[in-house]
Amino acid sequence: MPATSLDQIVALAKRRGFIFPSSEIYGGLQGVYDYGPLGVELKNNIIADWWRTNVYERDDMEGLDAAILMNRLVWKYSGHEETFNDPLVDCRVCKMRWRADHIHGVCPNCGSRDLTEPRPFNMMFRTQIGPVADSGSFAYLRPETAQGIFVNFANVLTTTARKLPFGIAQVGKAFRNEINPRNFLFRVREFEQMEIEYFVMPGADEEWHQRWLESRLAWWEQIGIPRSRITIYDVPADELAHYSKRTFDLMYDYPNIGVQEIEGIANRTDYDLGSHSKDQDQLNLTARVNRNEDSIARLTYFDQASGRHVVPYVIEPSAGVGRAMLAVLCEGYAEELTKALPADKLAVVGEALQSFLKSVGRSEKISAEARDAILARGEELGQALAERLPEVEQLLAMPGVDQIEVGKKLRGQAQPLIDEHYRTVLRLKPRLAPIKAAVFPLKRNHDQLVATAKEVRRRLQLGGDMRTVYDDTGAIGKLYRRQDEIGTPFCITVDFDTIGQGKDPALAETVTVRDRDTMAQERVPIAELEAYLREKLRA
Ligand code: GAP
């Protein structure tokens, strides 16, 4: 079962080093996160998989890496200066600011309905260019990577001699001054996008829009988000972005956040190339564009069949890396019972939970809001304690619980039972796993076991693409649990048989390989280990 609460993912991400709040030692920066040692690996693997699928495995795609800073005129003619706005309201009582379409007329902070009229708030960040700060010396941090592709259309076309249809792929940072960044990686102010602008003959756009929809759904499935978990939202006309003729939003059901966009697939028509072109009157544009007096180029394509210059239509699949990573973590997350729970010990935890909740109900040290939240969560848990015992950890991490003395008793009763009977496992697709294999010596104070394990690790790492780690910081069971939790598909143990000092001489030069998902163990000759793992990692 995927994650049932975003808290599970936030806690795991922090505990194991996937994601940290930005500048945490100075109190953080709202809506900005850093990717830790495992997060950067997972993020890079998602991006690499997207690039491999959309650039290398097709014969109609090119790549690009355009700069984040661009001439300000790009954002004038793209329409962003005028229209990239969210509706902002102020609460007149508590002075907080909100996005009007997120709050249904009630201030989420103080409950007041005394709000100002919504006014447009432009979400682009500005930065100064050069040493003199005057009204003309600023640039924007790009709010989408797409425009870097449109303004390079002619460069790519002339240097690659592509014929329509073809596309340009780009992965890079985008920045949006979101009014209320929230929900962990879901809505942030600095994020990465994986965008494709796919150029087609006008008239072929609708067919290509459908094809890209199918192709993108297949990719999500490939990285572990089943088709059944994605809803397609055919965006109604009154919600479409200013450039779009039709958009399919792919929606994923994030725990706590709900069904939300993970990727948009838009038909941008000839809006963008037309907007950035000179001589617009001569281009037979179908989109309504602002008159462009500044561009020095016609962004057209010469169609040999008709002998005419046309402005291609564009299909744009655009996905956020952070939202992809969050979905992959949620989908892969599981807390599993590994052996049956003894009824008597469970009953003791049940009693400890009840007395904890009683104590919460009586406590005057915590706010009414925190108390109600703890009670609601605790009672829900108590209804199905056998299935959800590990969630006691999240209950005890809720704001206010540190004021409840008997919380410690509950933890003392629950934790050993959780440790012994459950495991947290991230069932990531092996291709995405931050670490592909971990190698352990059966004993860390045995020179030959240690040296052999380190040599096995070194050899697996030689290929360069299979991140492998060595670990001897605990008993084997504990090391397995740690790797399960971060999604490592294979754990390899070097034991006395490996070094020819075991009971069975036939097992010399072999190791035990344990599978993350089945927990089954297999004996594999060291000489065949790399090929064995590669075969399985292809999945
Ligand atoms: N070029 C088209 C474009 O930027 P968008 O729907 O605004 O379209 C595309 O953004 C994707 O970027 C979204 O589907 C989402 O995955 C991601 N995204 C947008 N805003 C985001 C934010 N504030 N935080 C995280 N991801 C975001």
Side-chain angles (χ1 to χ4, degrees):
M1 190 171 69
T4 50
S5 149
L6 201 58
D7 296 346
Q8 293 169 321
I9 304 301
V10 174
L12 174 70
K14 176 94 205 275
R15 188 167 71 240
R16 289 302 188 201
F18 283 90
I19 302 290
F20 307 121
S22 160
S23 0
E24 197 178 10
I25 61 165
Y26 292 109
L29 181 63
Q30 213 195 351
V32 187
Y33 289 93
D34 297 338
Y35 288 74
L38 296 175
V40 64
E41 299 290 345
L42 178 54
K43 177 164 82 76
N44 286 347
N45 292 344
I46 291 173
I47 292 171
D49 203 83
W50 182 90
W51 194 269
R52 197 165 45 236
T53 304
N54 291 298
V55 183
Y56 298 165
E57 290 175 8
R58 299 178 63 110
D59 52 17
D60 55 356
M61 292 290 298
E62 300 286 351
L64 182 76
D65 185 14
I68 290 172
L69 296 175
M70 305 174 83
N71 190 309
R72 207 189 123 191
L73 292 172
V74 170
W75 306 107
K76 174 177 172 183
Y77 291 109
S78 68
H80 283 77
E81 274 194 338
E82 207 181 320
T83 62
F84 197 61
N85 301 318
D86 271 345
L88 175 73
V89 290
D90 292 281
C91 171
R92 289 200 179 91
V93 176
C94 71
K95 311 293 177 210
M96 295 284 282
R97 293 187 149 171
W98 304 103
R99 220 178 109 168
D101 55 335
H102 282 174
I103 63 166
H104 311 294
V106 182
C107 172
N109 185 46
C110 71
S112 164
R113 290 179 177 274
D114 190 4
L115 307 172
T116 58
E117 279 303 305
R119 60 191 186 283
F121 170 76
N122 194 287
M123 289 199 289
M124 287 194 289
F125 283 102
R126 282 179 176 210
T127 188
Q128 190 193 313
I129 300 279
V132 182
D134 60 37
S135 62
S137 66
F138 74 88
Y140 297 106
L141 300 186
R142 66 182 178 197
E144 62 171 14
T145 70
Q147 297 301 322
I149 299 182
F150 297 128
V151 299
N152 275 296
F153 171 75
N155 288 336
V156 175
L157 189 64
T158 46
T159 51
T160 63
R162 282 282 179 184
K163 300 275 173 273
L164 289 189
F166 78 97
I168 302 176
Q170 174 167 233
V171 180
K173 291 256 176 164
F175 302 83
R176 295 184 189 180
N177 197 0
E178 296 282 351
I179 296 169
N180 299 121
R182 56 183 171 174
N183 291 328
F184 196 39
L185 299 179
F186 181 79
R187 190 175 305 285
V188 288
R189 290 185 167 134
E190 173 178 338
F191 56 100
E192 260 169 295
Q193 289 185 314
M194 304 179 281
E195 298 205 295
I196 293 165
E197 307 303 329
Y198 194 78
F199 303 98
V200 303
M201 286 296 282
D205 51 310
E206 290 180 11
E207 187 198 329
W208 276 105
H209 200 190
Q210 290 294 339
R211 283 204 204 181
W212 273 107
L213 175 62
E214 292 310 318
S215 161
R216 296 301 304 137
L217 288 167
W219 182 75
W220 286 107
E221 182 126 42
Q222 174 176 307
I223 66 159
I225 315 291
R227 175 71 189 82
S228 58
R229 303 269 297 148
I230 290 188
T231 319
I232 301 166
Y233 181 60
D234 193 349
V235 180
D238 60 343
E239 290 176 24
L240 287 173
H242 61 278
Y243 50 72
S244 173
K245 170 176 161 184
R246 191 176 184 191
T247 295
F248 300 123
D249 280 346
L250 305 189
M251 316 285 278
Y252 176 76
D253 191 0
Y254 293 94
N256 302 104
I257 306 175
V259 178
Q260 292 287 345
E261 178 186 335
I262 191 167
E263 168 162 7
I265 307 172
N267 181 345
R268 291 182 81 130
T269 70
D270 52 4
Y271 175 83
D272 300 277
L273 294 181
S275 293
H276 291 303
S277 282
K278 66 173 185 175
D279 303 333
Q280 290 162 321
D281 295 341
Q282 299 162 38
L283 302 181
N284 294 319
L285 294 176
T286 58
R288 254 198 303 145
V289 297
N290 288 330
R291 186 155 200 86
N292 193 326
E293 307 285 356
D294 296 297
S295 170
I296 55 167
R298 285 181 180 207
L299 301 182
T300 55
Y301 169 84
F302 181 67
D303 176 36
Q304 301 225 321
S306 64
R308 287 185 22 219
H309 290 272
V310 293
V311 179
Y313 264 44
V314 175
I315 305 301
E316 177 198 63
S318 169
V321 178
R323 287 190 192 180
M325 177 154 151
L326 190 55
V328 160
L329 287 171
C330 291
E331 201 60 36
Y333 186 93
E335 284 169 357
E336 289 179 352
L337 198 60
T338 50
K339 56 179 172 173
L341 280 172
D344 53 338
K345 288 193 180 155
L346 187 66
V348 173
V349 179
E351 281 159 27
L353 174 64
Q354 290 316 320
S355 63
F356 165 77
L357 294 178
K358 254 191 218 143
S359 192
V360 170
R362 282 196 303 262
S363 174
E364 285 170 5
K365 290 189 193 152
I366 53 180
S367 71
E369 208 184 9
R371 191 175 58 223
D372 291 349
I374 300 168
L375 289 177
R377 184 94 185 251
E379 274 151 22
E380 206 184 289
L381 243 180
Q383 308 278 324
L385 199 56
E387 292 88 65
R388 300 176 57 177
L389 189 62
E391 289 178 46
V392 168
E393 286 178 43
Q394 284 123 46
L395 178 75
L396 293 174
M398 288 178 78
V401 169
D402 51 349
Q403 305 289 334
I404 308 294
E405 200 49 35
V406 291
K408 290 196 189 101
K409 193 166 164 215
L410 172 59
R411 187 187 302 280
Q413 303 285 4
Q415 200 65 54
L417 214 55
I418 297 171
D419 289 347
E420 199 185 331
H421 296 267
Y422 290 83
R423 66 170 184 156
T424 298
V425 55
L426 261 190
R427 293 183 187 279
L428 301 176
K429 288 279 181 189
R431 64 209 297 157
L432 296 189
I435 293 168
K436 307 300 185 207
V439 188
F440 317 137
L442 187 64
K443 288 191 159 186
R444 70 174 147 189
N445 52 5
H446 190 286
D447 290 348
Q448 205 180 338
L449 288 178
V450 167
T452 309
K454 287 187 172 170
E455 177 57 15
V456 169
R457 183 210 95 93
R458 194 188 68 81
R459 277 208 245 161
L460 288 177
Q461 194 60 71
L462 274 183
D465 58 342
M466 201 156 61
R467 176 129 164 79
T468 310
V469 296
Y470 167 88
D471 195 359
D472 65 7
T473 56
I476 298 292
K478 190 168 158 220
L479 298 180
Y480 281 158
R481 288 173 67 96
R482 185 182 297 165
Q483 296 299 331
D484 284 348
E485 208 176 40
I486 63 172
T488 306
F490 302 105
C491 288
I492 296 156
T493 306
V494 169
D495 58 18
F496 288 104
D497 282 321
T498 313
I499 57 171
Q501 295 177 19
K503 291 196 186 98
D504 187 351
L507 296 180
E509 290 297 311
T510 66
V511 287
T512 302
V513 179
R514 176 211 186 240
D515 182 288
R516 174 196 70 196
D517 297 338
T518 62
M519 293 190 276
Q521 304 193 3
E522 218 179 318
R523 206 74 200 181
V524 180
I526 293 176
E528 292 165 24
L529 188 58
E530 184 175 348
Y532 171 93
L533 295 180
R534 280 193 189 283
E535 180 60 34
K536 300 215 165 204
L537 286 168
R538 256 198 282 275

